[in-house]
Amino acid sequence: MLRLLLLPALCLAMLGQQSGRVYLISLDGLGFEAFSQDPAASELKTMRMLAEEGIYAPMQAAFPSLTAPGHASIFTGVYGDRNGITANQVPVAFDRRVNGFRADQLLADTFWVKAGRTGMRSVAHNATQGFPCNAHNSGPNVTLVNGYQTEELSPQRLLRGKDVEWLSSAPEGFAAPSSAGLPVRFFRYTSGRLQFAGAVFAQGGRYSAIRLSARSGSRYVDARMQSAENEPIRAGGQSRPLARHFSEALTVAGMTAVHFRLFELSPDGKNFLLYQIEAKGISVCQNGTSQAEAFQRRLLQTAGGFIGNGAGRFFEQGQFGKPGTDGVAERRWLETLELHARQTMRHTRALVSEFGPRLVVDYLSTADDMLHVWWGAYVAGDRNQEPWRRWGYQIIDWRIEQLRQMLGSEDHLIIVSDHGMTSARREFRINSLLRQWGFGDRVWAQDSFLRLKDRDDKELLREVQEKLASYTDGETRLFAAWFEPVAARERFGIGGEFGGDLYFDLAPGYYVSSALKEPVIESYPAPRGVHGPLPTRTDLLALFLAHGPRLDSRPVSMRTIDVAPLVLKLLGL
């Protein structure tokens, strides 16, 4: 195990008068090991150039090594025992958990709030704990933009002809297209709170596109049939636009904007494979000013919709095609990851242009999306997935290159991740085991910790620990290490009012699940990329990378809680 030599941000050389802007982007799930050792990550060409010219290091994440507590520690400079975000689902009571991605549970100020109080304009774009607005994540000179925790108006859909209601004529007010001699085929479907109308029409003598509108309005977009991309973004020395076959945005009542992708369309126009993104509202918070409200409307109209993640669920369920065969499923899914990168970059540009911030906080989910699916195969030595990981890394690098092009000579770019990724072959459903042993109504386990109903019952805690410590899967002892909050609080920031009573790390290859179902231990069909265990495992170390004129000495390693002080120092605070 790599020994972390923690170097405070103060030790990084800060030379001269602080000026310029600071851009920070979190690449969810892109650990130090993936960046430095995965052969496919050679596609991160811009990031490697920035690392060579700047500084980079492994970084200890929060414990458990999950997205919500990892980002909260980055943004506040303290771990979950002080910032309140101890897990993705925070246990505020034995039988009650709240969403750790929301800001309701946040107990410490984010660094952009601190910068805003000094008069610096700050923008936080899709940051975890970025919704709803409260005193810890928003304030003077802060613009907070979030689409992840806002209301879902329509779930993402993958539609075929059998999934829609076919109509004999156009809905009233529908802008019917001309159809090159073939009849237009009309349909409608309802998804969540939204209803869409569609028209299959022909160009060049064959059915080739679908026109879509919300309800029966005259505003529409056309999705044109194209097979999945055959080449990654960079191929043969040339680069192509991202997500180029997606429709432009269909804005709906000023609330949301929707993009479509038509992958298949039958010769008779009666069947198709049409992907619709999830439609969500976008929250823009700026102390309730009219500028924020007007900007929200313009953002949807000019930059398009919010894209939170790719369509990984459809890929893993085989709805894009059978993974691991002809590559069609992989290429379709990667196009949806491209759309996420493209749209988040469009929104970032719009935010910078509108508000002129000195501090920008940004986010990209691509690495986490793809490595959950493909990291396990890489660790197992399966090289068949390498071309797809290369494609995914190119998406990430495109996003970083777009940010780099926005930098001036006095600006700094900081690239971080919230955790790394390890490989698991088996799932351990610990609460099913605790229930079998008769502890289920007194002890609950989630992520990498135990939580007691009576938090003062130390005798019960020791009894449970002793039984778990001797539990085996064949010859494998499942529990590799134990951590008491009092003894390990300074190192990991564990425990506290909303933390666990005892933390643990499982043997490599196992993933702990809180699900109450049988069997207690079950093998995955294929190894998966997971995170959540001890953050000092080498494959779970996060990534820290920084580039700019006032960064000199390279740290041996960092902690996520060192990032906030560094950002504030670079801003001259």
Side-chain angles (χ1 to χ4, degrees):
M1 182 177 294
L2 179 66
R3 180 170 176 261
L4 289 181
L5 303 177
L6 301 180
L7 189 67
L10 287 172
C11 294
L12 300 175
M14 303 294 160
L15 306 176
Q17 178 64 36
Q18 285 81 5
S19 62
R21 298 170 296 178
V22 174
Y23 287 73
L24 181 143
I25 184 168
S26 170
L27 303 179
D28 194 327
L30 182 62
F32 184 82
E33 187 169 284
F35 174 72
S36 59
Q37 296 186 25
D38 185 353
S42 62
E43 299 294 340
L44 298 171
K45 298 182 186 302
T46 300
M47 287 183 62
R48 294 187 181 284
M49 178 196 70
L50 293 170
E52 290 175 3
E53 296 178 355
I55 59 176
Y56 70 102
M59 184 163 67
Q60 177 186 307
F63 187 22
S65 53
L66 297 169
T67 299
H71 280 103
S73 65
I74 291 170
F75 297 150
T76 64
V78 293
Y79 287 128
D81 61 324
R82 294 175 60 190
N83 67 38
I85 309 299
T86 57
N88 286 349
Q89 295 295 319
V90 179
V92 295
F94 180 73
D95 57 353
R96 179 170 173 257
R97 286 153 193 81
V98 299
N99 188 345
F101 291 89
R102 289 175 57 98
D104 310 82
Q105 191 61 28
L106 194 62
L107 302 178
D109 291 347
T110 58
F111 60 70
W112 57 81
V113 168
K114 296 177 181 179
R117 288 183 186 139
T118 70
M120 293 183 185
R121 292 183 181 178
S122 302
V123 165
H125 178 210
N126 287 332
T128 60
Q129 298 89 42
F131 180 87
C133 300
N134 63 27
H136 293 303
N137 66 11
S138 59
N141 304 301
V142 171
T143 303
L144 199 61
V145 180
N146 187 279
Y148 277 99
Q149 304 305 323
T150 57
E151 180 184 9
E152 180 186 78
L153 303 174
S154 171
Q156 63 176 342
R157 299 290 303 275
L158 193 61
L159 297 154
R160 294 189 180 275
K162 62 181 178 62
D163 301 318
V164 302
E165 178 189 359
W166 291 97
L167 306 173
S168 59
S169 60
E172 183 179 354
F174 189 90
S178 59
S179 191
L182 294 174
V184 180
R185 304 190 182 280
F186 297 100
F187 65 84
R188 67 186 171 201
Y189 71 95
T190 299
S191 179
R193 290 176 52 190
L194 303 183
Q195 187 179 80
F196 297 95
V200 183
F201 64 99
Q203 293 176 323
R206 65 185 182 89
Y207 287 106
S208 59
I210 296 179
R211 176 163 293 180
L212 294 126
S213 73
R215 299 184 183 274
S216 58
S218 59
R219 179 174 292 166
Y220 64 86
V221 294
D222 290 343
R224 304 185 185 282
M225 202 286 288
Q226 292 285 345
S227 299
E229 291 280 7
N230 283 316
E231 298 289 347
I233 300 165
R234 294 192 299 255
Q238 301 294 320
S239 296
R240 61 165 172 81
L242 271 66
R244 58 182 170 177
H245 300 313
F246 274 82
S247 75
E248 285 304 319
L250 174 65
T251 56
V252 182
M255 299 184 301
T256 189
V258 186
H259 298 260
F260 300 88
R261 173 67 166 93
L262 183 58
F263 289 108
E264 296 176 8
L265 182 57
S266 65
D268 62 3
K270 295 181 179 180
N271 197 19
F272 49 77
L273 185 65
L274 178 69
Y275 171 64
Q276 173 222 302
I277 71 163
E278 179 186 30
K280 299 195 72 177
I282 298 177
S283 169
V284 181
C285 176
Q286 197 193 41
N287 290 341
T289 66
S290 58
Q291 181 186 12
E293 296 173 2
F295 171 76
Q296 181 179 9
R297 293 191 295 270
R298 290 199 309 276
L299 182 69
L300 294 173
Q301 294 169 359
T302 61
F306 163 82
I307 311 292
N309 300 84
R313 175 168 61 90
F314 295 141
F315 171 73
E316 294 199 77
Q317 292 174 350
Q319 296 186 60
F320 277 146
K322 186 176 180 180
T325 54
D326 56 5
V328 170
E330 286 81 0
R331 288 183 279 126
R332 286 172 171 170
W333 180 35
L334 284 161
E335 282 196 48
T336 70
L337 296 179
E338 289 184 18
L339 183 68
H340 166 66
R342 188 193 79 183
Q343 288 304 116
T344 58
M345 191 63 225
R346 285 184 179 181
H347 286 195
T348 296
R349 288 188 184 279
L351 284 162
V352 172
S353 175
E354 178 79 14
F355 299 107
R358 273 198 66 196
L359 172 62
V360 178
V361 178
D362 215 341
Y363 174 80
L364 189 73
S365 70
T366 307
D368 193 70
D369 281 356
M370 74 168 184
L371 294 180
H372 271 302
V373 177
W374 291 326
W375 185 253
Y378 162 69
V379 173
D382 181 356
R383 298 298 177 256
N384 292 325
Q385 310 299 331
E386 185 167 327
W388 312 126
R389 293 200 316 282
R390 286 186 176 276
W391 193 321
Y393 286 128
Q394 285 186 21
I395 296 171
I396 297 168
D397 206 55
W398 175 90
R399 183 73 159 83
I400 298 301
E401 173 61 20
Q402 299 302 302
L403 282 179
R404 188 194 68 81
Q405 292 177 8
M406 297 175 66
L407 299 177
S409 60
E410 294 298 313
D411 297 339
H412 290 80
L413 176 61
I414 299 175
I415 302 169
V416 297
S417 65
D418 50 345
H419 53 72
M421 197 74 66
T422 190
S423 175
R425 292 180 174 272
R426 311 201 76 185
E427 182 171 292
F428 172 45
R429 295 155 185 160
I430 185 172
N431 288 311
S432 294
L433 181 64
L434 293 173
R435 184 172 58 179
Q436 288 179 14
W437 287 346
F439 296 123
D441 60 343
R442 294 176 291 162
V443 183
W444 177 262
Q446 69 175 84
D447 306 317
S448 295
F449 59 80
L450 304 174
R451 175 97 175 191
L452 298 177
K453 186 173 185 179
D454 178 0
R455 304 196 71 183
D456 294 324
D457 194 344
K458 304 304 180 185
E459 184 177 342
L460 172 63
L461 187 62
R462 295 299 164 231
E463 181 184 358
V464 172
Q465 181 183 356
E466 288 175 7
K467 292 203 70 171
L468 290 173
S470 62
Y471 187 74
T472 61
D473 179 23
E475 296 182 355
T476 301
R477 193 177 294 272
L478 257 66
F479 289 82
W482 298 92
F483 303 90
E484 296 186 3
V486 173
R489 192 166 185 173
E490 182 177 353
R491 184 183 180 194
F492 294 120
I494 56 178
E497 182 181 358
F498 305 112
D501 296 303
L502 184 65
Y503 289 70
F504 56 81
D505 191 38
L506 293 185
Y510 290 84
Y511 177 70
V512 64
S513 166
S514 60
L516 278 169
K517 64 179 182 178
E518 305 293 339
V520 170
I521 299 176
E522 186 172 20
S523 296
Y524 292 125
R528 291 191 57 82
V530 300
H531 52 90
L534 187 66
T536 51
R537 290 191 190 185
T538 54
D539 51 2
L540 285 171
L541 291 170
L543 172 67
F544 168 81
L545 192 159
H547 182 275
R550 292 185 306 281
L551 295 165
D552 190 5
S553 58
R554 174 182 171 180
V556 175
S557 63
M558 293 278 286
R559 300 168 298 180
T560 49
I561 60 173
D562 294 327
V563 174
L566 171 60
V567 170
L568 294 175
K569 274 198 163 291
L570 289 172
L571 291 170
L573 302 181

